[in-house]
Amino acid sequence: GAGVSQTPSNKVTEKGKYVELRCDPISGHTALYWYRQSLGQGPEFLIYFQGTGAADDSGLPNDRFFAVRPEGSVSTLKIQRTERGDSAVYLCASSSPGGRTKQFFGPGTRLTVL
Amino acid sequence: KQEVTQIPAALSVPEGENLVLNCSFTDSAIYNLQWFRQDPGKGLTSLLLIQSSQREQTSGRLNASLDKSSGRSTLYIAASQPGDSATYLCAVTRAGGSEKLVFGKGTKLTVNP
């Protein structure tokens, strides 16, 4: 019955490496969202899932970024060949069925690319 | 492309003061608007959600108003407390489009005891 959880809370990696960030939404929430927040900025949309399918992936910056939600619950954001510019806090949110309801956010994963 | 602007970027007030945070958006074709609170190093907490057909929402000491036609929303905080210190973000979803939120950069509020 807890809120949205994200793991890891912090991830430090080297330029060029591959990383996976995990999001566990609130149970029963069918919609799941990924956002990215850089220092001093508001969150920027990356991708949104309705069930297992990506309903809107227009915010993914390039083909190094990919996200999956194979069973309609947990989601993984995958970043290939990381770059220093990918350093940010990656936020996940979920919302209940019915559309356009409140989005509940997780604590985020702070990614640092050295 | 929807753009959301929040003014001021930072605000410092003494405890007990009433205050107003401003949010403006360029495309009035919104479905709803949300105000969030973000504490340092934390995720976002939803405070209030206003549907496009509504004019305001209230929760405790918080009151949010929406003027869709002019592209503006305000968040009013009554009798501010040091515990209100945080960054406040507003975000909108587009009518007829994706459910993604478009955020402003936020207003950093400090309430001094």
Side-chain angles (χ1 to χ4, degrees):
Chain A
V4 178
S5 63
Q6 293 186 246
T7 54
S9 56
N10 278 285
K11 177 70 177 179
V12 180
T13 190
E14 293 179 346
K15 179 176 179 293
K17 298 289 189 183
Y18 168 84
V19 298
E20 290 189 351
L21 311 180
R22 176 188 168 107
C23 173
D24 263 287
I26 293 172
S27 178
H29 279 192
T30 55
L32 185 147
Y33 313 79
W34 284 99
Y35 296 85
R36 177 168 73 172
Q37 186 174 25
S38 301
L39 194 63
Q41 305 293 315
E44 291 182 314
F45 169 77
L46 295 175
I47 186 170
Y48 145 58
F49 287 90
Q50 188 62 254
T52 60
D56 183 353
D57 64 359
S58 63
L60 294 177
N62 51 58
D63 61 6
R64 295 186 298 106
F65 288 74
F66 190 71
V68 296
R69 195 186 185 199
E71 298 178 357
S73 177
V74 170
S75 175
T76 304
L77 179 65
K78 308 180 181 191
I79 310 174
Q80 298 177 322
R81 305 183 304 281
T82 51
E83 300 177 356
R84 292 193 179 88
D86 298 335
S87 297
V89 175
Y90 288 80
L91 295 166
C92 176
S94 68
S95 64
S96 58
R100 303 183 185 278
T101 54
K102 279 186 182 180
Q103 294 186 23
F104 294 85
F105 281 76
T109 293
R110 181 175 296 278
L111 175 66
T112 303
V113 182
L114 301 176
Chain B
K1 178 188 171 186
Q2 178 73 272
E3 292 184 1
V4 178
T5 303
Q6 291 188 246
I7 295 173
L11 180 64
S12 181
V13 300
E15 182 177 4
E17 193 161 297
N18 302 325
L19 59 99
V20 174
L21 306 181
N22 296 292
C23 172
S24 62
F25 44 94
T26 55
D27 185 350
S28 62
I30 65 167
Y31 189 87
N32 60 34
L33 181 145
Q34 277 187 257
W35 281 95
F36 293 88
R37 168 187 174 135
Q38 186 171 34
D39 293 282
K42 307 282 188 181
L44 281 67
T45 300
S46 179
L47 298 173
L48 292 164
L49 182 149
I50 311 178
Q51 303 293 348
S52 62
S53 58
Q54 297 175 318
R55 296 285 291 182
E56 65 179 322
Q57 282 286 332
T58 298
S59 176
R61 295 183 293 109
L62 305 179
N63 176 279
S65 68
L66 174 64
D67 184 341
K68 196 176 86 159
S69 60
S70 68
R72 293 179 188 174
S73 175
T74 61
L75 179 66
Y76 175 84
I77 302 177
S80 58
Q81 303 170 358
D84 295 331
S85 298
T87 296
Y88 291 80
L89 295 140
C90 74
V92 298
T93 60
R94 186 165 66 92
S98 163
E99 295 188 22
K100 68 183 182 186
L101 289 166
V102 179
F103 284 86
K105 292 184 179 181
T107 293
K108 184 176 181 180
L109 173 66
T110 302
V111 181
N112 301 299

